[in-house]
Amino acid sequence: MKVFWLHLLLTGLSCMLLDGVASNASRPAIVDIGALLHFNSTIGQVGKIAIQEAINDVNSNSTILHGTKLNLRMIDSTCGGFLGFIRGLELLEKGVVAVIGPQSSVVAHMVSEVATEFKIPLVSFSATDIFFTPWGSPFFVRTTNSDLYQMTAIADIVNYFGWKEVTAVFVDDDYGRNGVVALDNALIDRQSKLSYKASISPVLGLSRSEIMDVLVNVAMLESRVIVLHVNPDIGHLVFSVAKYLGMMGNGYVWISTDWLSLVVDSYSPLPSEMMDEMQGVLALRQHTPDSNAKRAFFSRWKNITGGSLGLNAYGLYAYDTVWLIARALDAYLSQGGNISFSTDSKLLSIHDSNLHLEAMRMFDGGPALLNNILQSNSVGLTGLLKFDSSRSRVHPAYDIINIVGNGHLKVGYWSNYSGLSIKPPEALYNRPPNRSSADHQLRSVYWPGGTPVKPRGWVFPNSGKQLKIGVPIRVSFKDFVSRESGTSDTFNGFCIDVFQAAVNLLPYPVRYQFIGFGDGIKNPTYTDLVSMIPAGNFDGAVGDIAIVTSRTRIVDFTQPYASSGLVVVAPFKKLNSGPWAFLRPFTPGMWGVIAVCFFAIGAVIWVLEHRINDDFRGENTVTCRARAVLIIWLFVVLILTSNYTASLTSILTVQQLSSSINGIDSLRENDEPIGYQVGSFVQQYLTEELHIDESRLVGLNSSEEYADALRQGRVSAIVDEHPYIELFLSSQCDFRIVGQEFTRGGWGFAFPRGSPLTPDLSTAILQLSENGDLQRIHDKWLTTSSCSEDNTEIESSQLHPRSFLGLFLLCGIACAIALTIYFTKICRRFHHVSRTAVISDVGGSSSLRRLQTLISLIDEKKEPAKKRQKTQESEGSSLHDGKDGVFMRTPERQQTPTSRDVDDN
């Protein structure tokens, strides 16, 4: 048995050894991979060295390919599309199983089509164009980050500092154009916009004058926030020309994509002249987490280059790309894959071509190798090498650096996981993802000109263009806005004076021209006026424009310069005459309550006093309970008298409503017609918000029509904004505001969404309010007459029972307590009498007798304490005269046996 198991063990070991030998024997000794780089570029120089070092490290590591060596076939290409495409074809002819590159996005787009046809994976460490997709370029993979994330990071920076408009200067190729598309979309998502796009030709040897022509146009724009998305060669020239034009001074903001960090990292320290041209610039750099392996490679790099060429982020990505392909190739060979090529049948069908395409061969294991690349889950110098479903690396992140002095400062980080932060992204991955802009943080930045103060980000353009400001041509209430007769662009009024005063406070000149809006026959519709701004017909609108929700969705408004809540106006008339005017202070219900209280209090006093008070004429009370009730009642009467006097005085001297309308609620409940001003938002508000039937609404054009419609009864009330009504009532004393102001709003100046004029004019309006100029302008145009001084909210002065509920309740409680005490004593005496009294009439009804006894106790005559004491003394002396003397007195009424008990008062 032991011999059997030993034989089985030896057999298994031999099989394993044979399999291992067979496996090693099936692996090729050398596998060719290609690299397509532009050797004279910054990325190409660094990438070439990094790739060669990675090839050496892989080939010297027996644990990665198990005896197979990588053979690198590197070809120098240009960044141009056609020549790069030709060199790419040359590389694909050499039997490579994968290509590192192409370096540029332009070349990558063209070569990827051929690579897809021949099933050869392209793994680029530097092509960042956003339009590489798994569907359009199925054999293209990149180990760097897409510009989609870089532009999102820039948009977050713009949003963090509160800028609304951005100018993009970019190279006019796939890399530049597509990056700007991503920037535009990211800015729109954050309520900002790309206001101008300045393209630069990608042709080599671009002259300084051509760059100057582009930047001169940029300098004439409003926006001072400039995003520079070019290659390093063009970028240096742009900063040099910008410095010459004065565009690197105070007020400007320059944000560079990661090309600038490549230059800084690769050639540091840069010449002082070059550094002076870039002071205050913000730049992005692809983030790679700190690690021992990364620090060791940096030390090794210095020894390799002797310090002549620095290591940038793309060099790290190039190094990791080689290892990524090596691991995928090792997995492919371990899965039994072979390095074999076959001729594409489509090429064989082309007989009349002189291109010799038969040299191009298809890699049979291309799809399997590509799948292994996409399944990568390793850690390299650049961090975790893992791809999501869109073939983007997980956790894309950037450093944000600030060019200052002879070097740069790191002011923060951006990651797709946590947004802007001053902590490294990898320190936040163990927390829940948080992209809220409220939690974004950056360190202090030194801007162009050396100032730490955040630039405003825009100036008024010096291009000579005038702003076209739309102004409503009103036919009523011209104190607010009116066009001077005989002119087309001269306006005056309260709103115009406020706008001109605010513009004069701006720290820069604003050239504008007023353009009338309306036919001059009726008031224009203000919603139509506001809609002309996003349509591009006007650059702004000035006038008595109410800030309402529907309008704020399409334009931006300044700080309100006047309040404009809606109010209700109704007719009034004098009600201070008539023979029954003295009854008006109290409502009928109030009079009824007072009458009931008088009788009730009288009844309570009678119950409490009639047994003791002989006369009971109200001149005096005897019991403490009655006195307490009477005192409280007198207090109530005093309060009622005081309020009656005050209310009667008010009623006889103040005008009162002549209709049943006392506010918006009563107006909604009835079916009477309502007037409104033509052109205002009131009609829409009444129908959509208050759900008032449109058939009840009557459009009116002027204050004269207001008065006529109210007097003639065509409308029962008018709903309009408070400033109009204030001006209307200054000359119409027959009408008053009823109820309260039922909306809160204001008037503002309208400008396009994101216009930088909006916050500056808002600040100017606040300054006008603080220094009193706004009130002085109001008094100049809208001074009210003595008639309108009483135009305050007037409601009914009649007093209701609910106003005195507490007093009546107090009086009622006092009566209840007194009566309770009184009847409690009566019940106790009745109970005592019913048990001890001798009933003489035996045959009488017991129940009737008890009722008579109770009534006699209630109606029993009682003497006051002092008088009762004298009576008892006289009775005591008469007892000495005879033993029957006490029975000789006949009382006025029959007394109960307990009638001599002392009553506790």
Side-chain angles (χ1 to χ4, degrees):
M1 191 65 179
K2 293 182 178 179
V3 175
F4 171 76
W5 286 110
L6 180 61
H7 177 72
L8 183 62
L9 177 61
L10 292 174
T11 303
L13 290 174
S14 62
C15 290
M16 293 176 62
L17 291 174
L18 289 175
D19 287 343
V21 172
S23 177
N24 290 331
S26 64
R27 285 176 175 262
I30 296 176
V31 176
D32 291 335
I33 64 172
L36 193 60
L37 306 177
H38 181 30
F39 292 165
N40 292 330
S41 66
T42 302
I43 296 176
Q45 291 177 14
V46 175
K48 180 180 179 181
I49 299 174
I51 291 172
Q52 289 174 338
E53 289 301 310
I55 292 290
N56 294 336
D57 290 346
V58 169
N59 288 338
S60 63
N61 191 333
S62 60
T63 64
I64 181 65
L65 283 173
H66 302 91
T68 299
K69 304 296 182 180
L70 293 180
N71 181 43
L72 179 64
R73 294 180 175 271
M74 189 178 298
I75 291 183
D76 184 12
S77 70
T78 66
C79 291
F82 178 72
L83 291 180
F85 172 68
I86 297 299
R87 302 309 299 270
L89 291 180
E90 294 178 5
L91 184 60
L92 295 178
E93 288 180 353
K94 299 183 180 299
V96 295
V97 299
V99 174
I100 302 172
Q103 176 183 317
S104 73
S105 298
V106 176
V107 177
H109 274 294
M110 302 184 70
V111 176
S112 65
E113 296 292 335
V114 180
T116 299
E117 183 68 26
F118 293 101
K119 306 297 187 291
I120 299 175
L122 298 181
V123 187
S124 177
F125 63 91
S126 56
T128 58
D129 185 14
I130 65 173
F131 287 126
F132 286 110
T133 64
W135 307 274
S137 305
F139 274 78
F140 178 84
V141 182
R142 60 177 154 212
T143 56
T144 186
N145 295 323
S146 167
D147 279 339
L148 175 67
Y149 301 109
Q150 182 170 210
M151 296 308 174
T152 303
I154 292 176
D156 276 345
I157 293 173
V158 171
N159 183 62
Y160 175 80
F161 289 107
W163 300 311
K164 294 299 182 183
E165 292 191 8
V166 174
T167 298
V169 179
F170 62 98
V171 61
D172 194 9
D173 57 14
D174 290 344
Y175 160 75
R177 288 190 299 268
N178 297 340
V180 169
V181 169
L183 176 62
D184 196 7
N185 293 334
L187 289 171
I188 291 174
D189 291 341
R190 289 154 182 81
Q191 287 75 51
S192 300
K193 68 177 182 179
L194 194 59
S195 59
Y196 186 77
K197 302 174 185 177
S199 61
I200 299 176
S201 173
V203 177
L204 295 177
L206 196 66
S207 68
R208 186 180 181 89
S209 61
E210 291 174 304
I211 298 292
M212 188 171 294
D213 290 341
V214 173
L215 293 187
V216 166
N217 292 330
V218 172
M220 298 176 68
L221 302 173
E222 294 181 5
S223 173
R224 286 293 185 261
V225 181
I226 303 172
V227 174
L228 188 57
H229 185 48
V230 294
N231 55 55
D233 295 332
I234 295 177
H236 170 250
L237 188 57
V238 168
F239 281 132
S240 177
V241 174
K243 178 74 172 179
Y244 174 78
L245 294 176
M247 299 175 65
M248 299 303 298
N250 288 334
Y252 279 90
V253 176
W254 287 84
I255 303 176
S256 170
T257 51
D258 61 356
W259 69 265
L260 179 56
S261 63
L262 292 177
V263 175
V264 173
D265 293 338
S266 302
Y267 304 109
S268 182
L270 292 173
S272 59
E273 180 182 353
M274 184 180 294
M275 293 299 296
D276 289 341
E277 294 170 350
M278 300 186 298
Q279 291 297 300
V281 176
L282 282 179
L284 270 64
R285 177 171 59 198
Q286 300 215 33
H287 174 75
T288 56
D290 191 21
S291 65
N292 293 331
K294 177 182 172 182
R295 287 191 293 269
F297 191 74
F298 265 94
S299 299
R300 177 180 167 188
W301 185 271
K302 291 181 181 179
N303 297 328
I304 296 172
T305 62
S308 62
L309 183 64
L311 177 61
N312 56 48
Y314 285 104
L316 298 175
Y317 283 112
Y319 183 87
D320 280 355
T321 301
V322 175
W323 278 90
L324 174 67
I325 295 175
R327 290 190 178 96
L329 183 60
D330 180 61
Y332 170 73
L333 295 175
S334 298
Q335 295 163 358
N338 296 319
I339 306 301
S340 61
F341 296 86
S342 59
T343 303
D344 191 350
S345 59
K346 298 177 182 178
L347 297 180
L348 296 177
S349 62
I350 303 177
H351 300 290
D352 56 349
S353 174
N354 295 322
L355 296 178
H356 302 289
L357 296 178
E358 65 276 2
M360 305 290 294
R361 293 182 300 169
M362 182 186 302
F363 177 37
D364 297 328
L369 179 60
L370 174 66
N371 183 66
N372 289 336
I373 291 173
L374 295 176
Q375 295 300 320
S376 172
N377 190 11
S378 60
V379 177
L381 299 181
T382 58
L384 180 63
L385 271 168
K386 186 177 180 181
F387 301 95
D388 59 20
S389 59
S390 64
R391 297 188 181 179
S392 297
R393 284 189 63 164
V394 297
H395 300 322
Y398 290 85
D399 300 339
I400 303 171
I401 63 174
N402 185 201
I403 307 299
V404 179
N406 294 324
H408 63 271
L409 300 174
K410 188 180 294 183
V411 298
Y413 305 89
W414 179 91
S415 73
N416 194 47
Y417 189 84
S418 56
L420 298 175
S421 172
I422 58 177
K423 294 182 179 180
E426 54 271 12
L428 303 175
Y429 291 153
N430 57 350
R431 303 180 184 179
N434 181 16
R435 287 297 311 280
S436 173
S437 59
D439 298 325
H440 285 182
Q441 285 183 307
L442 288 177
R443 297 185 183 94
S444 298
V445 177
Y446 289 92
W447 304 101
T451 176
V453 179
K454 184 199 76 172
R456 184 174 59 219
W458 83 284
V459 295
F460 197 80
N462 54 8
S463 60
K465 174 187 174 183
Q466 283 187 331
L467 294 180
K468 296 180 293 183
I469 304 297
V471 181
I473 303 175
R474 296 195 57 87
V475 297
S476 62
F477 300 109
K478 293 187 176 182
D479 297 86
F480 297 107
V481 179
S482 64
R483 184 172 63 177
E484 292 187 7
S485 59
T487 65
S488 61
D489 59 356
T490 304
F491 292 80
N492 53 34
F494 168 69
C495 303
I496 302 298
D497 281 6
V498 173
F499 175 74
Q500 292 174 338
V503 169
N504 291 335
L505 292 177
L506 297 179
Y508 47 84
V510 177
R511 300 183 69 247
Y512 59 88
Q513 177 186 10
F514 288 139
I515 300 177
F517 178 78
D519 56 11
I521 300 175
K522 63 179 181 178
N523 292 330
T525 302
Y526 281 34
T527 300
D528 294 342
L529 170 61
V530 172
S531 300
M532 300 287 281
I533 298 175
N537 297 339
F538 292 138
D539 299 314
V542 171
D544 46 339
I545 306 172
I547 304 174
V548 296
T549 304
S550 60
R551 296 171 184 171
T552 58
R553 295 191 179 103
I554 58 175
V555 297
D556 284 345
F557 282 94
T558 63
Q559 172 79 17
Y561 61 88
S563 60
S564 63
L566 294 180
V567 294
V568 178
V569 174
F572 276 72
K573 70 178 182 180
K574 292 284 186 177
L575 296 177
N576 57 356
S577 60
W580 302 102
F582 69 92
L583 294 177
R584 291 178 190 152
F586 292 152
T587 63
M590 184 66 182
W591 283 115
V593 170
I594 292 175
V596 170
C597 287
F598 267 111
F599 286 108
I601 295 298
V604 170
I605 297 299
W606 179 85
V607 170
L608 297 176
E609 288 287 311
H610 75 283
R611 297 176 58 240
I612 300 175
N613 196 331
D614 291 331
D615 297 326
F616 194 68
R617 293 190 177 99
E619 291 86 357
N620 187 26
T621 55
V622 176
T623 65
C624 294
R625 293 184 294 273
R627 290 172 179 171
V629 172
L630 193 57
I631 289 173
I632 294 176
W633 173 242
L634 291 177
F635 174 73
V636 174
V637 171
L638 176 63
I639 298 298
L640 293 176
T641 303
S642 301
N643 282 273
Y644 173 85
T645 303
S647 180
L648 182 61
T649 303
S650 174
I651 288 175
L652 296 180
T653 57
V654 179
Q655 301 179 37
Q656 297 294 315
L657 270 172
S658 62
S659 68
S660 60
I661 299 172
N662 54 22
I664 188 62
D665 292 333
S666 60
L667 194 61
R668 293 175 61 185
E669 293 171 356
N670 59 37
D671 295 327
E672 298 180 3
I674 304 170
Y676 70 93
Q677 184 180 170
V678 173
S680 70
F681 71 98
V682 176
Q683 179 186 17
Q684 182 180 4
Y685 180 83
L686 293 177
T687 56
E688 296 182 2
E689 300 297 331
L690 300 184
H691 306 292
I692 296 176
D693 192 88
E694 191 171 359
S695 61
R696 295 178 55 194
L697 304 183
V698 179
L700 303 172
N701 279 303
S702 64
S703 58
E704 292 76 14
E705 290 189 21
Y706 281 13
D708 292 341
L710 288 171
R711 290 192 179 101
Q712 297 171 8
R714 290 193 291 119
V715 296
S716 61
I718 291 175
V719 177
D720 206 349
E721 297 177 73
H722 193 274
Y724 301 122
I725 297 304
E726 184 182 38
L727 189 61
F728 168 67
L729 295 180
S730 65
S731 59
Q732 301 290 338
C733 299
D734 296 336
F735 315 101
R736 289 293 183 271
I737 296 175
V738 296
Q740 297 180 345
E741 192 173 274
F742 57 92
T743 66
R744 292 289 185 269
W747 290 349
F749 306 129
F751 292 95
R753 296 295 297 271
S755 171
L757 266 177
T758 305
D760 287 356
L761 280 176
S762 296
T763 302
I765 291 172
L766 290 175
Q767 187 175 347
L768 289 175
S769 177
E770 292 171 356
N771 61 25
D773 288 346
L774 190 61
Q775 184 61 43
R776 282 188 283 272
I777 297 174
H778 178 276
D779 295 341
K780 170 186 174 182
W781 290 98
L782 307 175
T783 302
T784 57
S785 67
S786 57
C787 174
S788 63
E789 290 177 359
D790 284 337
N791 289 342
T792 56
E793 177 191 344
I794 298 179
E795 297 179 344
S796 176
S797 299
Q798 287 187 315
L799 301 175
H800 300 265
R802 62 177 178 271
S803 304
F804 304 95
L805 182 60
L807 289 174
F808 291 131
L809 184 61
L810 179 63
C811 188
I813 291 174
C815 293
I817 293 174
L819 290 175
T820 300
I821 296 173
Y822 174 78
F823 282 109
T824 299
K825 296 179 65 64
I826 292 295
C827 291
R828 291 177 60 190
R829 294 176 61 190
F830 171 73
H831 180 67
H832 179 71
V833 169
S834 64
R835 295 178 58 186
T836 60
V838 179
I839 302 176
S840 57
D841 189 2
V842 180
S845 172
S846 174
S847 298
L848 180 61
R849 185 62 178 173
R850 290 170 62 87
L851 178 61
Q852 291 175 349
T853 302
L854 177 61
I855 294 174
S856 65
L857 288 175
I858 294 174
D859 194 46
E860 179 185 30
K861 176 66 173 68
K862 295 284 291 184
E863 294 181 353
K866 294 182 180 180
K867 185 176 181 180
R868 194 161 55 240
Q869 182 178 3
K870 293 179 180 181
T871 303
Q872 291 175 352
E873 291 177 354
S874 62
E875 289 178 351
S877 59
S878 63
L879 288 174
H880 296 287
D881 295 338
K883 61 179 180 179
D884 296 330
V886 70
F887 300 106
M888 295 175 63
R889 295 186 297 109
T890 303
E892 293 182 5
R893 64 183 68 176
Q894 190 172 355
Q895 302 287 320
T896 64
T898 59
S899 61
R900 295 184 180 90
D901 295 343
V902 178
D903 190 10
D904 182 12
N905 289 317

